[in-house]
Amino acid sequence: SQQGEEDPQALSIQEGENATMNCSYKTSINNLQWYRQNSGRGLVHLILIRSNEREKHSGRLRVTLDTSKKSSSLLITASRAADTASYFCATNPDYKLSFGAGTTVTVRA
Amino acid sequence: GAGVSQSPSNKVTEKGKDVELRCDPISGHTALYWYRQSLGQGLEFLIYFQGNSAPDKSGLPSDRFSAERTGGSVSTLTIQRTQQEDSAVYLCASSPGSNTDTQYFGPGTRLTVL
C-alpha cells in the first residue's frame, strides 16, 4: 500500500519560476527520499533526508522534513524545461520504499 | 560507472504466456529490489533480496509471480500465465546493503499483455 501522498497531483509553471510540492506520510520513517521520473521509466534519485534532519539542499533543490506533521516538501528553484518530470517521495520505515502517486511538473518555456 | 540495467526494455506478450524479466544490479550492491508501476501510479514493492538471506516475497501479487537471484548478482522476475492486469513497468533497484541506503533504479521493463 502507498504510504506517501504527493500534493499537488500536477503543477505547471513558467521557466525560471520555483516549483514546490508536498508529501505526507503515515508511519514513522528512517528517512525520506525524493525521486524524479522522466517519461514513465527509470527513477533518478534526487535527495535523501534522514529523520533527524529538518532541511537539506542539493543544487537547486531544497527539501524540508517535519516529522511531527509527517510531511516533507521539495522546492525546485529557477526551474528549467529539463525539470519537466514526475516527482515522487518515498519513505522507508524498513527496507521497502513506499511511494506516493507523484506530482507531475510541467515547465513551460 | 555502470548503473542498474534491465532487459528487455519492452515486452509484448499474449495473455497466458510466461515472461522473464532480467535485472543486473550495480556491482557490489548486496540488496536488490523489484517494484511494479502501473499506468499513472506510484511504485508497488514486489520482492527484496539481501545477500544470502531468504528473500522477502511479501509484495508479490500472486503465485504466478516468482523471482530468483543467482550468485548474489543478476535477478530474474518470472510471471507465469500472464494476465492483462500484469501490464505495467517493472523496475529493479539495488543498494549497497543497508536498509536505509539510497536505492538506484534501472530503466525498467515495460510489459504489455494483450
Side-chain angles (χ1 to χ4, degrees):
Chain A
S1 62
Q2 294 177 349
Q3 171 166 229
E5 290 186 8
E6 290 89 348
D7 171 61
Q9 290 186 333
L11 183 60
S12 180
I13 57 173
Q14 199 74 29
E15 200 166 24
E17 293 180 339
N18 296 341
T20 299
M21 60 209 84
N22 303 297
C23 167
S24 60
Y25 58 92
K26 297 174 184 173
T27 65
S28 59
I29 59 172
N30 291 310
N31 61 55
L32 185 142
Q33 304 179 40
W34 285 91
Y35 287 82
R36 183 185 72 223
Q37 185 178 40
N38 294 88
S39 304
R41 297 307 292 263
L43 276 76
V44 174
H45 181 262
L46 296 176
I47 196 165
L48 179 153
I49 186 165
R50 301 199 183 279
S51 59
N52 61 354
E53 296 176 311
R54 292 295 168 259
E55 186 170 315
K56 201 162 183 180
H57 296 255
S58 177
R60 295 184 295 113
L61 304 179
R62 172 178 170 258
V63 168
T64 63
L65 178 64
D66 187 335
T67 53
S68 66
K69 296 181 179 178
K70 292 186 169 58
S71 67
S72 173
S73 68
L74 171 66
L75 168 68
I76 306 172
T77 60
S79 63
R80 305 168 182 169
D83 295 329
T84 294
S86 293
Y87 292 81
F88 295 88
C89 68
T91 57
N92 59 340
D94 51 33
Y95 47 79
K96 309 169 198 174
L97 285 180
S98 179
F99 288 81
T103 293
T104 299
V105 175
T106 302
V107 180
R108 306 185 307 274
Chain B
V4 178
S5 60
Q6 293 186 245
S7 62
S9 56
N10 288 284
K11 176 73 177 178
V12 179
T13 190
E14 294 180 346
K15 178 181 173 181
K17 301 282 189 182
D18 298 350
V19 295
E20 284 189 354
L21 312 179
R22 177 187 168 104
C23 171
D24 277 278
I26 294 172
S27 178
H29 281 192
T30 61
L32 186 147
Y33 315 76
W34 283 96
Y35 295 87
R36 176 172 72 173
Q37 185 178 30
S38 301
L39 186 63
Q41 300 295 313
L43 276 72
E44 171 190 6
F45 167 80
L46 296 178
I47 190 168
Y48 162 68
F49 295 89
Q50 172 59 280
N52 296 320
S53 302
D56 177 353
K57 305 179 181 180
S58 61
L60 295 178
S62 78
D63 58 8
R64 296 186 294 105
F65 288 71
S66 63
E68 62 177 21
R69 189 179 184 192
T70 54
S73 181
V74 171
S75 177
T76 302
L77 177 69
T78 301
I79 308 173
Q80 295 178 311
R81 305 181 302 281
T82 52
Q83 304 295 312
Q84 289 184 332
E85 60 263 29
D86 299 335
S87 296
V89 176
Y90 289 82
L91 289 151
C92 175
S94 71
S95 66
S98 164
N99 65 4
T100 59
D101 278 347
T102 296
Q103 295 183 17
Y104 298 87
F105 283 80
T109 293
R110 185 180 300 279
L111 174 66
T112 303
V113 181
L114 302 176

